[in-house]
Amino acid sequence: MLKLMRSIKCNSNIRTYKTDNVRVRFAPSPTGYLHLGGLRTALYNFLFAKKYNGKFILRIEDTDQTRLVPDAIQQLQNDLNWSGIEIDEGPSQGGCFGPYIQSSRLSVYREHVHFLLDKGLAYHCFCSDRRLQLLRREALRAHEIPKYDNRCRELSLDEVKTKLDKGEVSCIRFKINENEEQFNDLIYGDITYNVSLNEGDPVIIKSDGYPTYHFANVVDDHLMKITHVLRGVEWQISTIKHVLLYRAFNWNPPLFGHLPLLMNADGTKLSKRQGDIKISHYRENNIFPLAMINFIAHSGGGFSKDLERHLKPRCYSIGELVNQFDLTRIKSHSGKLMMERLLEFNRHELKRRLHSVEEEHNLILQVKELVQNAFCGRVLESSLQLNQEYIRNILHWAVNRIDKLSDIVSKDLEFIWVIPTELKIEEPDMNAVELFKAKLENEEELSEKNSLNTFLKNFCEENKIKFSNFMKLLRSVLSGLKEGPGVAEMIVILGKKNTLRRLETCLNKSKGIS
Ligand code: GLU
């Protein structure tokens, strides 16, 4: 019964919308960090704004002062910036409609609530928390929907004045009308809902003087001239309330489009609490921003067929995504996030970057830093191979083998960077190493694993050296490892020059030359 009453009716969709002077906003509450769902909302608003040469605004909704996370505002901006989402107006950018942080706009809300009070559309409520709790408990016991009984609506102006003069604590509530109301959702079609059946008059100014989300959100969307509100579907149930507030002020509401939920691939809910869905987590784990953006775009829908049909992921540039973005193509069913696709996009983006000279150079510098951070504490910098050309070759070799840049310093690829300093073999046959070095010196560059294997086998046969023992020795000389990629592959990865350098280092060591 409870469920039925709460249900909202959703009818066929009329998918037309105006697109002049587009102003959209992303309005996060700084009660936590940016996560995948939030990034999707920000991205879709941004793409929509760019598509119609509009403005993308960042507004911080910090009216719940009890749940603020101290560095969240800065982090949110860093995360958006990292993602390539450019803010036209916001707390750091400024703009003609600021301030863009709600806690700095309290006088604006005060002024607007007075308008509603004067018109008799809002009223002071003096009910104590205790009374509200009691109402709630009684309703639950009677299997009714718990809601405020609107008692303070009936207070006379004199009664209110006396209570206020006595300094009694109060909040301000908005008078909800009792009709079923409707709005047309750009994504879900007609939505009908009767707020008063499910809720009592909602609080719009809390007893601490701060506005509630609903009130501040409506006042700001109007004053900031927001034309389209694109936000998560979890807010859809609030929209009728917002529409009623617009009506009370005699304002034209913006158009509303609610974005369906993003779910895990198995249909379970994404939780904000899952540390790993914080955007900063992906950044710290070497996911490229464009990979992230494409991953979200491909999961959330709303793009032309071209992008949706792509079975093999391809990272589209922001410009391409703007062109392909089409609000009317967003389906009302939830989007599924296939986490493994994120890595596919990342690999794709790594390849794309390697094809540009400038990006390739940046990648080389990043790899250098990764190697230094990974190994400098453990080995001398002089035993790291950090020459630009070498890193470049390694990157081109690795591009089809790694998911993200940091994989390049993983345990099994450590030998690429660190020149081994000690041999982990008892009684090594240094003569064999000497012979092998001489043989290799006269060879062309060996860049193919199979021919190298034959080369190694022939060498052992010619010199009557036991193949398996020599492979063990060579592995240790070249990598300092007991396990890892095959020796032939190691030589391919290191290249002839570096292989010779390692053979020589080992020979010198054994002769006491350092
Ligand atoms: N402050 C709300 C949030 O944190 C904004 C919802 C809206 O966009 O209206 O998601």
Side-chain angles (χ1 to χ4, degrees), residues 25 27-29 61 213 217 231 235:
R25 68 352 179 235
S29 302
E61 300 205 324
Y213 153 73
N217 188 272
R231 61 183 166 204
W235 300 104

Side-chain angles (χ1 to χ4, degrees), residues 20 32 35 88 103 105 111 119 163 172 190 197 204 216 221 260 311 344 357 424 432-433 466 468 470 476:
D20 41 342
H35 52 98
D88 295 308
S103 57
R105 301 173 60 81
E111 187 190 316
K119 290 236 161 213
K163 282 174 180 291
I172 299 174
D190 287 342
L197 275 185
I204 50 176
D221 279 348
L311 297 174
E344 282 181 58
V357 180
K424 291 176 183 141
V433 176
K466 195 170 169 205
S468 60
F470 187 60
S476 185

